[in-house]
């Protein structure tokens, strides 16, 4: 880069990121300590238009990468084509690019292949990302924003209760969402833990930063990244612990015809249902 990162416009930064490659897949930037024992990824723009909150996090990482220690870190622009379309759109047209025209939600592809064809851009790219980084990662931080009503920030985490409580205690989020819902696929509909992450990994965290396109979401993204890195022991950053969450929500996110159902009555006592059709 011939210019300082802070001098880049969002479109400049996006162009730079699309030129980066790993494993012959574009939109993957490798920073930190190559070959370190711990490997992780930060994914942004899984839904293209959410790049508006993802890029501030990437900008911070590029400006402060020298501070990251003992971590082999991949920064992934997941749906780079939809993200670029959103950044280049006029007026409010950016809101139309959650995915590419004729495409589908990229993070539905790993769990419901019947809803996400390999022939689509999203299906093809999800496959390529999984095979490029799959088997290499210990941790993933997946940054999102939302079109629906939400708290200022919510945490979606896929792991044990202990992992939920540990990461919740240090991140600036107010709610916990766990992906447990009815998944519709070729073998019919069944209830199972849902993982919408594109790449195989040991632990995964999804953070809803707030409203898509909002200043609040853009400002929160770098803070979440710093605290997550500090939680991994890869960044010197003061962490203030807070009590574990007392309220959690679960969602069913697959095909519109799929009714919410959970087999375990005890589970329903612990989780608040998000109504079918709500956007997260």
């Amino acid at each position: 880069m011939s210019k300082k990162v802070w001098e880049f416009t969002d479109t400049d930064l996006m162009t730079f990121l699309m030129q980066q490659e790993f494993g012959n897949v574009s939109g993957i930037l490798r920073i930190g300590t190559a070959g370190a024992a711990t490997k992780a990824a930060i994914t942004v723009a899984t839904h293209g238009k959410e790049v508006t909150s993802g890029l501030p996090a990437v900008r911070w990482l590029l400006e402060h990468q020298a501070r990251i220690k003992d971590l082999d870190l991949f920064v992934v622009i997941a749906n780079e084509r939809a993200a670029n379309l959103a950044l280049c759109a006029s007026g409010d047209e950016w809101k139309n690019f959650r995915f590419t025209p004729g495409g589908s939600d990229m993070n539905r592809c790993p769990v419901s292949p019947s809803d996400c064809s390999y022939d689509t851009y999203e299906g093809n790219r999800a496959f390529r990302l999984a095979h490029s980084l799959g088997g290499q990662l210990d941790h993933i931080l997946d940054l999102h924003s939302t079109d629906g009503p939400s708290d200022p920030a919510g945490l979606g985490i896929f792991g044990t209760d202990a992992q939920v409580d540990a990461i919740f205690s240090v991140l600036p989020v107010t709610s916990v969402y766990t992906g447990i819902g009815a998944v519709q696929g070729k073998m019919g509909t069944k209830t199972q833990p849902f993982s919408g992450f594109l790449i195989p990994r040991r632990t995964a965290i999804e953070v809803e930063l707030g409203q898509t396109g909002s200043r609040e979401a853009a400002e929160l993204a770098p803070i979440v990244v710093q605290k997550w890195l500090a939680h991994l022991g890869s960044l010197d950053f003061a962490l203030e612990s807070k009590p574990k969450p007392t309220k959690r929500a679960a969602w069913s996110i697959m095909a519109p015809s799929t009714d919410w159902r959970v087999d375990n009555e005890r589970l329903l006592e612990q989780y608040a249902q998000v109504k079918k059709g709500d956007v997260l």
Side-chain angles (χ1 to χ4, degrees):
M1 292 180 291
S2 59
K3 296 190 293 185
K4 298 284 188 181
V5 175
W6 57 265
E7 295 177 318
F8 276 45
T9 65
D10 282 351
T11 50
D12 287 338
L13 183 54
M14 189 66 197
T15 298
F16 166 75
L17 293 170
M18 291 174 70
Q19 293 170 346
Q20 309 307 304
E21 285 191 358
F22 180 80
N24 294 319
V25 179
S26 62
I28 303 177
L29 174 68
R30 192 178 192 178
I31 61 177
T33 307
T38 302
K39 293 177 169 55
I42 296 175
T43 58
V44 304
T46 301
H47 303 132
K49 64 182 179 180
E50 296 173 16
V51 71
T52 52
S53 52
L55 281 185
V58 177
R59 191 182 297 274
W60 185 91
L61 286 164
L62 287 170
E63 291 174 349
H64 299 276
Q65 57 183 304
R67 294 175 55 191
I68 301 170
K69 59 185 181 181
D70 301 325
L71 183 67
D72 196 350
L73 181 62
F74 298 88
V75 181
V76 181
I77 308 297
N79 195 332
E80 60 174 2
R81 185 176 294 178
N84 194 48
L85 287 170
L87 286 177
C88 296
S90 301
D92 286 341
E93 290 182 4
W94 65 273
K95 297 178 181 179
N96 299 324
F97 295 109
R98 182 178 172 93
F99 38 78
T100 59
S104 59
D105 277 340
M106 199 167 176
N107 57 341
R108 308 303 189 258
C109 298
V111 293
S112 188
S114 61
D115 295 332
C116 185
S117 170
Y118 179 80
D119 294 334
T120 66
Y121 171 77
E122 280 77 15
N124 183 284
R125 184 156 174 82
F127 176 85
R128 296 184 68 207
L129 284 171
H131 283 262
S132 174
L133 292 172
Q136 300 197 49
L137 300 179
D138 299 297
H139 311 285
I140 289 180
L141 173 65
D142 189 21
L143 296 179
H144 285 259
S145 53
T146 180
D147 294 334
S150 72
D151 295 319
L155 171 69
I157 185 166
F158 302 89
T160 66
D161 286 343
Q163 290 170 332
V164 171
D165 294 343
I167 193 64
F168 178 87
S169 71
V170 298
L171 287 186
V173 296
T174 57
S175 303
V176 170
Y177 304 93
T178 58
I180 302 174
V183 176
Q184 186 179 48
K186 294 180 179 179
M187 301 303 292
T189 302
K190 60 181 179 179
T191 300
Q192 65 178 39
F194 167 76
S195 174
F197 293 90
L198 303 172
I199 307 164
R201 74 290 164 211
R202 184 159 56 87
T203 65
I205 297 164
E206 175 187 314
V207 176
E208 296 281 354
L209 296 164
Q211 294 291 318
T212 301
S214 69
R215 179 189 295 265
E216 291 78 10
E219 290 177 345
L220 186 61
I223 297 172
V224 168
V225 165
Q226 292 172 68
K227 292 200 171 190
W228 179 73
L229 289 171
H231 176 71
L232 296 182
S234 299
L235 183 75
D236 291 326
F237 189 87
L239 292 176
E240 297 180 1
S241 181
K242 63 180 185 292
K244 67 181 182 179
T246 57
K247 184 178 181 180
R248 308 181 186 197
W251 65 76
S252 175
I253 63 168
M254 301 311 291
S257 60
T258 302
D259 292 328
W260 168 262
R261 63 193 191 203
V262 174
D263 297 330
N264 191 326
E265 292 183 2
R266 184 179 61 83
L267 191 64
L268 286 174
E269 295 176 357
Q270 300 176 10
Y271 291 84
Q273 177 183 339
V274 177
K275 294 179 180 178
K276 184 175 66 176
D278 283 355
V279 179
L280 294 172

